[in-house]
Amino acid sequence: MDESAGWREVTAITALKARYCRYLDTKRWAEWRALFTDGFVSDTSAAGGQVVTGADAFVAYIRATLGDGRPTVHQVHNPELELTSATTATGVWALHDVVRLGPGFDLHGYGHYHETYEKQGGTWRIATSALTRVREDIRTPLVAVRLTPRLRDAGAALARRRGL
């Protein structure tokens, strides 16, 4: 692959990830689903989550978790993309996300997406994504609290018990 073709592919993957953030934050679920391979695997276990297999199952899980009204902001930067063949690639993206937990309570997360991509029918799609966290903070108008992994895990266990 010549250099200009490689840059076009990298640009296409960058646009794919930009749409990932925009469609997720605007709750455009059908369009968001189209960004993944059917066999997509999400692994958020290192960040206190779980492994979800299948794009439909993943979208349903995130939609149930966030609903259509919970505000979120996902921003990714500093992509480290590598084309591994004409139809496959890997990438790591720095992430800052904000999730509204309730009135006046926001979760600010910092970490990385570690992903693989597949080009199917001329279109790049996300095949796998693993989320790692560097830091999580709960912010209110009056205070910000850093969530240690132990505190995050305790909160996740409580949320699971309450069916959240």
Side-chain angles (χ1 to χ4, degrees), residues 67-125:
D68 289 330
R70 179 169 291 180
T72 60
V73 176
H74 289 77
Q75 296 180 341
V76 294
H77 12 264
N78 303 341
E80 302 171 51
L81 299 174
E82 180 181 348
L83 299 171
T84 53
S85 78
T87 59
T88 59
T90 62
V92 178
W93 297 84
L95 165 69
H96 174 210
D97 61 341
V98 180
V99 178
R100 172 65 46 100
L101 300 176
F105 289 91
D106 293 336
L107 169 69
H108 285 252
Y110 308 89
H112 298 91
Y113 285 117
H114 302 260
E115 297 181 328
T116 62
Y117 311 93
E118 293 178 9
K119 192 173 187 181
Q120 302 173 336
T123 302
W124 285 100
R125 290 189 168 72

